[in-house]
Amino acid sequence: MSDPQNPVAEPAYQDRTFRSPAGIAGGVLLLALGAWLGIDAVIRGEGRTPWLALAGLLLAVPLVVAFTVRPAVYANDDRLRVRNPFRTVTLPWGSVAALRSGYSNEVLTPSGTKYQLWAIPVSLRGRKKAARRQSQAAASGDPTAGGRPFLDPSRSSARASGDQAMDELREISERQAGAETAQGEPSVRWAYEIVAPCAVGAVLLAVLLAVT
């Protein structure tokens, strides 16, 4: 029980996390396959083969992680944090001008800068399936078939998963854009833990191929 004389501030709204399960599953499979082939080449290879395998792994593993396992979007009452393959972008809701969906999902700032949301991919197939479900619901006389899905949890299946996620983010953005704690400028941090090993692996692989 908290002490009223010394209250502990806790976030009123925990981070919502959005990721791509299909992307993570694909990344894990690629990493497993790469580890199997790479370790086999290191153990059984001759001459420069083990070194080429190591350099290839040093280059490929961070890239696979960057594009499959790493991407994530975190949202709370104060800000949107977008973790893309090579950068992490933090945007207070007051600096979010729009969340746009087309062939990719993007967040735009008032200055026109846009950042892609890698963790929330667009599935055209999923949209077609969702549109079919909406059409069937409308044909059956469902009066809510044309409403806003994020306002009706019972209709969450009426939208593709990526569009559902964007609806949730738009709802938070609309609600929190004017909040005092949600003001500030966007900040960008490069993922040096991904960029550095990729650069080292690329240089090492180029040197080994050049002297082969």
Side-chain angles (χ1 to χ4, degrees):
M1 186 172 180
S2 61
D3 182 357
Q5 300 298 324
N6 187 25
V8 178
E10 294 184 359
Y13 188 82
Q14 298 293 331
D15 276 3
R16 292 291 309 275
T17 303
F18 302 88
R19 306 189 75 176
S20 170
I24 294 173
V28 170
L29 288 175
L30 285 173
L31 289 173
L33 179 61
W36 175 47
L37 295 175
I39 292 173
D40 182 72
V42 170
I43 294 174
R44 301 186 181 185
E46 299 178 354
R48 291 192 177 90
T49 299
W51 292 104
L52 287 170
L54 286 173
L57 287 174
L58 190 58
L59 172 62
V61 168
L63 286 177
V64 171
V65 170
F67 285 98
T68 60
V69 179
R70 174 181 160 80
V73 172
Y74 303 94
N76 62 26
D77 270 354
D78 296 332
R79 52 101 181 105
L80 176 70
R81 184 159 62 93
V82 181
R83 196 170 71 187
N84 281 341
F86 300 110
R87 297 187 298 179
T88 297
V89 184
T90 302
L91 302 105
W93 288 115
S95 69
V96 173
L99 286 151
R100 185 171 64 188
S101 296
Y103 290 105
S104 64
N105 290 313
E106 301 168 337
V107 57
L108 281 76
T109 67
S111 65
T113 304
K114 64 181 180 180
Y115 303 100
Q116 187 173 344
L117 307 182
W118 281 82
I120 309 178
V122 169
S123 171
L124 297 181
R125 181 180 179 184
R127 282 181 177 174
K128 289 178 181 178
K129 291 173 65 176
R132 277 200 304 271
R133 288 196 295 268
Q134 280 190 299
S135 297
Q136 292 168 357
S140 67
D142 181 356
T144 67
R148 299 178 75 184
F150 62 78
L151 297 179
D152 185 356
S154 66
R155 292 191 54 246
S156 61
S157 62
R159 298 272 279 169
S161 59
D163 292 334
Q164 290 178 43
M166 293 298 288
D167 286 338
E168 292 183 39
L169 292 176
R170 290 189 188 99
E171 192 274 335
I172 300 172
S173 178
E174 291 171 5
R175 186 180 72 237
Q176 296 299 123
E180 184 178 349
T181 58
Q183 305 307 309
E185 296 296 323
S187 63
V188 178
R189 184 187 73 84
W190 285 94
Y192 294 107
E193 65 276 15
I194 296 292
V195 175
C198 282
V200 172
V203 171
L204 182 58
L205 191 60
V207 170
L208 288 171
L209 290 174
V211 299
T212 299

